[in-house]
Amino acid sequence: MQAEKHIQDIIDFAEPQMDVYEFAIYMYLVRHTRLIGKTEDVFGFKSIRKKMVIGVGEKGTPMSEGTCYGRLKSLESKGFIKTLDSVFSGQRIKVFYPAEINGLIKEVINYSTTFNIENVDFFETATTYTNTISLQK
């Protein structure tokens, strides 16, 4: 699958499931793993949190450690990432695309079929509806 399709899936299906911090962390992880051909890598969040999201909480300040680690746990509980282990330089994290998460992408119904209003018999539909209501009483 192409990166363009993955980004569309992230925006359409993953982002609505996330808050601002989760989305920023997830996109950082995607950028530094999946978009360069890796599924996992080691991340030291004590340092990189300072350059991921600036000024979302208090203007001009980085995300706190507690917020960062809380959002990582939340992303893991939602299936977007999996913490594999902790090493000296950080946490080894596996990142999943939305298409790899069971149940996240629902079937999209295409309603682009042509509809000709001239073919609709509104009187027949109204009569059928009235008869149905009468029968139910």
Side-chain angles (χ1 to χ4, degrees):
M1 202 182 287
Q2 298 294 329
E4 181 179 324
K5 174 64 174 142
H6 288 304
I7 298 299
Q8 288 172 352
D9 287 348
I10 289 169
I11 292 169
D12 292 343
F13 301 105
E15 190 272 334
Q17 307 296 322
M18 301 177 188
D19 68 20
V20 173
Y21 283 129
E22 289 171 339
F23 188 65
I25 293 168
Y26 180 70
M27 288 306 296
Y28 184 90
L29 296 174
V30 168
R31 161 63 184 92
H32 293 281
T33 56
R34 302 309 296 264
L35 292 181
I36 58 173
K38 299 192 274 184
T39 59
E40 63 186 62
D41 204 354
V42 175
F43 296 94
F45 286 99
K46 286 185 186 275
S47 59
I48 63 173
R49 70 175 174 81
K50 296 177 182 174
K51 58 185 175 184
M52 265 196 279
V53 182
I54 303 294
V56 174
E58 188 177 324
K59 186 177 180 182
T61 61
M63 170 179 22
S64 72
E65 272 186 55
T67 299
C68 183
Y69 288 112
R71 292 318 192 274
L72 284 170
K73 287 179 184 176
S74 178
L75 285 170
E76 187 160 9
S77 71
K78 295 175 182 179
F80 293 106
I81 64 171
K82 179 167 180 55
T83 303
L84 302 175
D85 63 352
S86 291
V87 294
F88 179 74
S89 56
Q91 294 179 332
R92 180 172 305 283
I93 295 178
K94 184 172 185 173
V95 182
F96 299 98
Y97 278 131
E100 299 169 333
I101 301 169
N102 287 335
L104 182 65
I105 297 179
K106 310 281 189 279
E107 183 180 344
V108 178
I109 300 170
N110 186 0
Y111 291 107
S112 64
T113 58
T114 57
F115 177 76
N116 185 351
I117 198 162
E118 299 296 326
N119 295 334
V120 177
D121 185 350
F122 289 100
F123 295 108
E124 176 62 31
T125 305
T127 305
T128 304
Y129 178 74
T130 305
N131 290 341
T132 304
I133 299 264
S134 299
L135 291 173
Q136 292 177 354
K137 289 182 182 179

